[in-house]
Amino acid sequence: MTASAPRSQPADIPAQYDPATTERDLYAQWLRAGVFTARPERTTRGGGDAVPFTIMMPPPNVTAILHVGHGLNNTVQDVLTRWRRMAGDETLWLPGTDHAGIATQNVIEKQLAAEGKTRYDLGREAFVARTEEFVRTTGGAILDQLKAIGASCDWTRTRYTLSPEMSLAVREAFVRLYDDGLIYRGHRVIHWCSRCLTSLSDEEAEHEDEDGKLYQIMYSLADDPSQGLTVATTRPETMLGDVALAVNPDDDRYKALVGRMVTLPIADIAIPIIADEYADPAFGTGVVKITPAHDPNDFEVGVRHKLPMPVIMTPEGTMGEGADASGRVPAHLRGVDRFAARAMIVESLRESGSLVRVQPHKHAVRHCYRCDTVVEPRLSDQWFVRMKPLAAPALDAVRSGRTRILPERHEAVYINWLEGIRDWNISRQLWWGHRVPVFYCGNCKWQAALRTDPAGCPKCGGNVRQDDDVLDTWFSSWLWPISTLGWPNEQSRDLKTFFPGDVLVTAPEILFFWVARMIMSGFRFMGDAPFHTVYLHGTARDTQHRKMSKSLGNGIDPLDVVAKYGADALRWTIVSGLGMGADAIFDPADLEKTFAPGRNFATKLWNIARFLLTAAGDDAVAPIESIDQGRLTRADRWILSRLEVAIAECDAALGPPRPTASRWAEGERRAGMRLNEYAESARRFVWNELADWYVEASKARLQGSGPDRDVARAVLVHAFDQALRLLHPIVPFITEALWQRLPGHVDGEFVARAAWPVRRGVGDEPTGFELVRDVIVRIRQLRSDFAIAPGKPVTVHVSRTLDGDRDGERQRASDSLDAVLSEESSTIERLARATLSWGPVANGAPNAKAAIMGGATIAMLLEGAVDVERERSKYAKELAELERQLGALEKRLASPGFTGKAKPEVVESERAKLGEWTAKREHLAVLVQSLGGA
RNA sequence: GGGCGAAUAGCUCAGUUGGUUAGAGCGCCUGUCUUACACACAGGAAGUCGGGGGUUCGAAUCCCUCUUCGCCCACCA
């Protein structure tokens, strides 16, 4: 089956839908037609009339392979992009990959380890070359995988964070911030990963609660070893770097000791007792050891008191003498791993009697976010970005409504983080990444950040060398919304057209890593936020709510799902289960249970189309606008009005695509992005309304030959066409496959760029078809209740039990009921498998059964004996329950609190409810009586 | 140690500012291969909305409290 084949016969549609070949073929068609390619010239910013709509894909790591998290993230983006594309926007969904400094370097280092080598065996240049080669040949595979799930990205604009263009942007940003004094060299304690051999930012060093130990150690006074102070520490090995003991200046216990010296055990050197507010008298013994080079707080104390700062560990995490540490690390500890050293030190303290006690202690220990190694605080020189000035506009953006974050609760988290923001350590002692563009003269003191590499020192002509460090991966990511569009070239057409963008879709984990920083860079370099909406979706988890991960083995391979059930099934499951901000739960042990509903839905659509093509043929179909209103049946008017409702619901669930003004107004700020509600509305329309009722009710007309057939065809094709459009963003493949088969389809047209449904403003009033449905359902219930064999014909005698009533409203209801029943009798008879017969049924007839609807009562006489008492008691129970609720309702409405405070529309709807229930009570009473009520 | 979220049918979840008799999918029960569809159709059972208290004419929805999970943030050695 190829889409280019002629499709004049309905027989062209196979009985079975085959996602695999269809999806591949359709994706190729879309690409060939350039459906996903953004055209700046069509936009309002480029001289056209389309509003631009931009989404930047969070670039997956270049070495990543697709997992459900990506599937989730990109499906959401695709739904939004396809929706806006159909709605007439000029959409740009820009894809790309991230060079992922530490992560990628780790991959290559693992390869080297398998070969028995380290990166140092290769040297920097060869290592980078090898990594580049790896990325070039096997990297970016994930982008192809995204095509398999239908991602409608503009692949002509694919970007990579370590490409030359991105380097240009990174360098420009660095130089500007450096020249503005916002990037500086800092000498302080940072998080150090002794496995990756690099510093980490605060965000990259993640807390993990651990059961540790609190060691209390006695430091004796240098001039009187019989006295001493007890200090508590969780990391005894750092004591070799102690330069003082601190007590609180107001702590009466120790006031007298301030200024005296103690002997540092093991290292056997004298250090002073100092007074500092940092020591908390209430914690432990109130005495804290000060290790400036290995603890950020101690560092601050060290600075205040101008203390030495000896480094007593190597970068690799073994004990060793670094700067200022000579004589501190005993020979037998040098080269010993820090944790082994801890045990050895504790043991020798125990032997010497210095170990006062050891108690269990729960505390949070920071770990490297890439390799999970315990991070070591370590004094070193790093590059930092001064964040306060950058944070201010980003803070204001969310406060003022320029950018909203959904779900709303994340806004408080964002604001809280930005208010307490600390400077960002951006240098990494890695080889894979953008190199810090700072140059130093080997001769004079000259140093500068430069856009291009200098030939020599501009001051003295001496040799220059570039800083060895590379930049944090996020230093390129934070420029993503602008660098991908051509910044720093501000004349770039894409930048002028597609910045600022619209929506950012990502997981909450990287709100700080990435989202906040992108907003900052947007303001800093372009003077505006890069998007007006941040949509944070949940995490993919298994049924035990554990995060899906490779190490747990509880993941689901999206491509596996695509192969088994089709991409649409995967997408359907994701979207229909996507509550605002809620985690998405999938069962990796039961793919069938998880994804079959999506497949089943696609199959349903397929079969509706098969019916449509068989019954309606594919001769030309009149446009719905050309059908004279008077020729529409109740079913026609009903399904058209249901379509109006469905469109309205989908639009409401998706919400406004952008703020109406330059900022989100309170009323719209939290609206929309309810993808699950959108999916449900569309599904209900096409399945429960169009397929279950309209198609069934219209079969006779469609299979007949009268002029009415054309009316039914027009309505059916219109309704299904619109349904396919509503569903296309969620299930793009099946809808495209079917839409192209609809009668009247013109070759080369795609539902992917067909117009999004718009309400026509017709069919608001009740159509009477609701009554038809009620009658059919009631008769079906009777058949089922009385176990009447499906094949057995049954006659239903219809009469109005309240016929004598001349009250106007009720009379009208009865008259309208009569009209509906007689005019629609053939439909009712067919769908309910019953014969309708008019005429009064004697009250109390032994086999009478009745149904209530629309303000009138009909009685039905079923052939064969029925259990009248059972019926009577059933209705009597219903009546009793109704009376109870009616009583409560009446009481509620009569209370002064209600009439005084409730909104007018609520009062009105509650009054209407009261009337409805009252009428129903009357009907039920008649019914119970007619069934021989006791 | 702070902050936030969740708890609704057997399972996974909706339920937008308090206002029809709380919904969907899956599962379950009973029928049906009714000429688009058994990946379907028709009918049905099933929830004291985590416990307790409060506000209100009215609470799954707001307030307090308790229990159980989860997430984020955090320099108490």
Side-chain angles (χ1 to χ4, degrees):
Chain A
M1 171 188 59
T2 64
S4 55
R7 291 177 310 275
S8 52
Q9 296 302 316
D12 189 41
I13 184 162
Q16 199 74 42
Y17 174 54
D18 171 27
T21 53
T22 310
E23 289 175 0
R24 205 173 316 123
D25 177 53
L26 288 174
Y27 201 89
Q29 283 187 42
W30 288 326
L31 285 185
R32 230 178 294 131
V35 172
F36 307 154
T37 307
R39 294 155 294 180
E41 66 279 6
R42 282 192 69 249
T43 68
T44 46
R45 293 177 194 158
D49 56 5
V51 181
F53 183 81
T54 311
I55 293 185
M56 295 293 171
M57 176 188 293
N61 288 1
V62 66
T63 57
I65 53 163
L66 192 72
H67 58 65
V68 191
H70 297 121
L72 179 71
N73 178 248
N74 289 286
T75 296
V76 171
Q77 295 176 72
D78 196 42
V79 169
L80 297 177
T81 302
R82 287 180 182 272
W83 165 50
R84 292 321 301 166
R85 185 180 292 122
M86 293 177 73
D89 291 351
E90 188 59 24
T91 57
L92 169 60
W93 179 19
L94 188 142
T97 48
D98 192 298
H99 68 282
I102 302 185
T104 304
Q105 176 154 335
N106 284 352
V107 169
I108 304 300
E109 285 187 333
K110 264 189 200 139
Q111 290 181 359
L112 289 175
E115 300 164 20
K117 290 190 241 168
T118 71
R119 73 196 219 215
Y120 300 101
D121 295 331
L122 268 70
R124 182 167 192 152
E125 221 167 289
F127 180 85
V128 169
R130 174 166 175 155
T131 310
E132 276 171 353
E133 180 58 18
F134 176 80
V135 165
R136 188 162 41 243
T137 52
T138 64
I142 189 166
L143 296 182
D144 281 324
Q145 296 179 314
L146 286 177
K147 294 175 184 168
I149 66 168
S152 65
C153 309
D154 183 349
W155 301 107
T156 68
R157 287 177 167 85
T158 304
R159 297 290 185 265
Y160 170 50
T161 57
L162 199 55
S163 66
E165 310 87 72
M166 301 295 111
S167 296
L168 206 65
V170 164
R171 203 144 164 179
E172 177 70 25
F174 188 100
V175 170
R176 283 198 198 178
L177 293 174
Y178 180 95
D179 290 346
D180 292 345
L182 292 182
I183 286 182
Y184 65 94
R185 189 79 169 153
H187 180 69
R188 64 180 66 164
V189 173
I190 45 77
H191 308 293
W192 181 265
C193 176
S194 56
R195 205 222 54 86
C196 300
L197 295 178
T198 181
S199 67
L200 300 170
S201 66
D202 293 343
E203 292 71 34
E204 288 169 324
E206 298 179 329
H207 290 280
E208 252 173 66
D209 282 328
E210 280 184 11
D211 291 314
K213 288 183 176 129
L214 191 62
Y215 303 87
Q216 293 197 359
I217 302 165
M218 167 76 78
Y219 288 33
S220 46
L221 289 177
D223 51 9
D224 180 5
S226 66
Q227 287 186 60
L229 289 177
T230 304
V231 302
T233 180
T234 53
R235 296 186 298 150
E237 68 279 11
T238 63
M239 67 188 292
L240 297 178
D242 288 357
V243 296
L245 294 187
V247 297
N248 193 284
D250 298 327
D251 193 334
D252 292 333
R253 290 173 294 179
Y254 305 115
K255 261 184 179 164
L257 295 174
V258 173
R260 295 181 62 179
M261 304 294 279
V262 294
T263 305
L264 177 59
I266 303 202
D268 198 27
I269 50 182
I271 57 173
I273 297 168
I274 61 170
D276 195 283
E277 298 284 351
Y278 166 63
D280 176 1
F283 185 88
T285 58
V287 184
V288 57
K289 65 194 224 23
I290 301 299
T291 321
H294 293 279
D295 183 284
N297 300 302
D298 294 6
F299 174 79
E300 297 300 326
V301 176
V303 169
R304 279 200 287 277
H305 295 268
K306 299 192 170 56
L307 299 168
M309 303 190 174
V311 174
I312 48 91
M313 257 183 241
T314 64
E316 289 79 15
T318 63
M319 306 310 290
E321 294 181 351
D324 296 335
S326 114
R328 284 177 165 264
V329 181
H332 73 280
L333 285 174
R334 286 182 208 165
V336 176
D337 176 80
R338 53 191 165 147
F339 297 117
R342 176 181 299 176
M344 291 166 68
I345 287 172
V346 167
E347 194 44 43
S348 60
L349 288 173
R350 197 190 308 276
E351 282 165 13
S352 69
S354 303
L355 188 64
V356 179
R357 62 199 269 212
V358 180
Q359 50 198 153
H361 184 68
K362 242 189 156 75
H363 61 147
V365 178
R366 287 193 186 249
H367 292 248
C368 173
Y369 85 136
R370 277 301 158 196
C371 71
D372 208 38
T373 301
V374 173
V375 159
E376 193 65 38
R378 181 183 173 84
L379 184 63
S380 89
D381 291 308
Q382 303 291 340
W383 289 102
F384 291 88
V385 177
R386 218 179 289 285
M387 296 304 270
K388 278 246 151 41
L390 294 174
L395 208 42
D396 182 63
V398 169
R399 284 194 176 130
S400 69
R402 165 66 184 94
T403 298
R404 62 173 180 172
I405 303 177
L406 297 174
E408 186 192 355
R409 63 189 136 90
H410 288 291
E411 291 188 349
V413 178
Y414 172 94
I415 287 169
N416 188 42
W417 184 76
L418 281 179
E419 283 175 341
I421 197 160
R422 288 182 288 170
D423 286 353
W424 175 17
N425 171 9
I426 52 168
S427 47
R428 297 289 176 276
Q429 289 64 51
L430 302 170
W431 289 348
W432 181 241
H434 295 280
R435 201 154 161 185
V436 172
V438 173
F439 296 84
Y440 308 92
C441 177
N443 229 9
C444 64
K445 291 260 172 183
W446 176 84
Q447 105 174 33
L450 298 175
R451 290 173 176 82
T452 51
D453 297 1
C457 175
K459 266 220 169 114
C460 71
N463 284 335
V464 298
R465 67 172 180 85
Q466 185 172 2
D467 197 293
D468 280 327
D469 289 352
V470 300
L471 292 162
D472 181 2
T473 291
W474 302 99
F475 194 88
S476 52
S477 311
W478 80 322
L479 304 173
W480 190 245
I482 59 175
S483 61
T484 54
L485 296 175
W487 188 87
N489 173 14
E490 291 181 359
Q491 295 315 303
S492 153
R493 188 170 196 191
D494 275 2
L495 188 63
K496 285 161 95 177
T497 307
F498 295 108
F499 185 93
D502 293 86
V503 185
L504 182 86
V505 179
T506 192
E509 294 99 272
I510 55 175
L511 183 60
F512 306 140
F513 269 116
W514 192 45
V515 180
R517 288 171 182 160
M518 277 193 291
I519 296 176
M520 294 185 218
S521 81
F523 279 104
R524 184 73 195 177
F525 301 116
M526 288 295 292
D528 200 356
F531 29 72
H532 55 65
T533 296
V534 175
Y535 177 77
L536 300 174
H537 58 244
T539 310
R541 296 178 186 278
D542 67 12
T543 49
Q544 294 167 58
H545 291 214
R546 296 177 308 179
K547 201 168 174 168
M548 287 193 169
S549 75
K550 228 187 287 178
S551 51
L552 277 174
N554 62 346
I556 290 175
D557 181 355
L559 298 181
D560 212 29
V561 176
V562 169
K564 285 196 173 87
Y565 304 97
D568 289 331
L570 173 73
R571 297 169 60 112
W572 176 261
T573 296
I574 288 171
V575 175
S576 62
L578 202 68
M580 169 70 73
D583 286 338
I585 311 294
F586 306 105
D587 188 350
D590 194 347
L591 295 186
E592 176 71 15
K593 183 182 167 188
T594 308
F595 297 102
R599 176 205 55 196
N600 296 353
F601 181 46
T603 305
K604 185 72 184 181
L605 292 176
W606 186 259
N607 282 307
I608 294 170
R610 285 182 64 214
F611 168 79
L612 181 149
L613 294 175
T614 312
D618 59 0
D619 299 336
V621 170
I624 192 71
E625 299 79 20
S626 71
I627 303 289
D628 178 30
Q629 286 292 305
R631 297 176 67 198
L632 297 175
T633 64
R634 282 196 179 80
D636 292 337
R637 282 185 279 119
W638 177 78
I639 195 63
L640 291 174
S641 85
R642 295 315 300 168
L643 174 60
E644 297 283 292
V645 170
I647 295 171
E649 286 179 352
C650 289
D651 282 341
L654 285 162
R658 53 182 65 82
T660 41
S662 63
R663 302 186 184 292
W664 287 102
E666 271 318 302
E668 62 188 9
R669 182 164 182 162
R670 280 171 280 288
M673 298 294 291
R674 261 102 179 155
L675 300 193
N676 56 330
E677 292 179 18
Y678 152 49
E680 173 56 19
S681 290
R683 187 204 65 85
R684 188 177 51 232
F685 173 70
V686 74
W687 196 323
N688 299 134
E689 293 167 349
L690 185 64
D692 287 350
W693 286 102
Y694 184 75
V695 163
E696 293 302 333
S698 309
K699 272 184 173 166
R701 297 164 66 206
L702 287 161
Q703 283 157 357
S705 57
D708 187 39
R709 175 165 186 258
D710 285 332
V711 176
R713 289 174 72 234
V715 172
L716 175 62
V717 171
H718 173 73
F720 191 54
D721 174 346
Q722 296 287 298
L724 291 176
R725 293 178 197 229
L726 285 177
L727 287 162
H728 178 260
I730 308 173
V731 283
F733 293 108
I734 182 92
T735 49
E736 186 71 80
L738 297 177
W739 194 80
Q740 293 190 8
R741 288 182 162 90
L742 288 181
H745 173 257
V746 176
D747 263 354
E749 287 191 353
F750 297 91
V751 71
R753 55 182 178 203
W756 181 253
V758 176
R759 275 182 287 169
R760 299 165 61 233
V762 295
D764 251 41
E765 68 286 352
T767 61
F769 190 74
E770 297 81 358
L771 283 179
V772 176
R773 292 208 316 167
D774 278 352
V775 173
I776 293 166
V777 167
R778 286 292 179 174
I779 298 174
R780 282 173 177 170
Q781 285 171 342
L782 292 183
R783 294 196 65 117
S784 185
D785 280 356
F786 294 108
I788 296 165
K792 189 180 175 187
V794 65
T795 301
V796 178
H797 297 277
V798 182
S799 73
R800 303 190 310 213
T801 50
L802 292 176
D803 204 25
D805 197 302
R806 282 289 137 200
D807 165 274
E809 199 172 326
R810 181 180 298 159
Q811 187 58 39
R812 272 195 300 281
S814 286
D815 288 348
S816 124
L817 181 69
D818 278 356
V820 169
L821 289 182
S822 60
E823 286 168 30
E824 301 286 345
S825 62
S826 67
T827 300
I828 294 170
E829 290 181 339
R830 197 161 41 79
L831 296 188
R833 300 183 180 208
T835 306
L836 294 185
S837 138
W838 258 255
V841 175
N843 279 354
N847 51 0
K849 164 93 162 67
I852 309 290
M853 60 207 65
T857 304
I858 62 169
M860 301 179 188
L861 182 64
L862 288 176
E863 293 185 355
V866 299
D867 185 344
V868 174
E869 178 48 28
R870 199 184 77 179
E871 283 299 288
R872 195 202 60 78
S873 75
K874 182 173 143 190
Y875 282 104
K877 225 166 121 189
E878 201 179 310
L879 179 60
E881 173 64 15
L882 181 65
E883 274 174 345
R884 198 183 60 75
Q885 281 165 353
L886 198 50
L889 182 63
E890 276 167 343
K891 203 171 142 197
R892 212 188 309 151
L893 294 199
S895 78
F898 177 74
T899 41
K901 277 184 270 174
K903 284 183 277 189
E905 61 266 29
V906 171
V907 173
E908 196 185 330
S909 79
E910 293 289 285
R911 290 265 155 77
K913 183 162 72 176
L914 184 69
E916 218 172 279
W917 288 10
T918 308
K920 189 168 172 182
R921 176 176 59 184
E922 197 176 344
H923 293 306
L924 269 175
V926 169
L927 187 55
V928 170
Q929 199 192 359
S930 78
L931 286 166

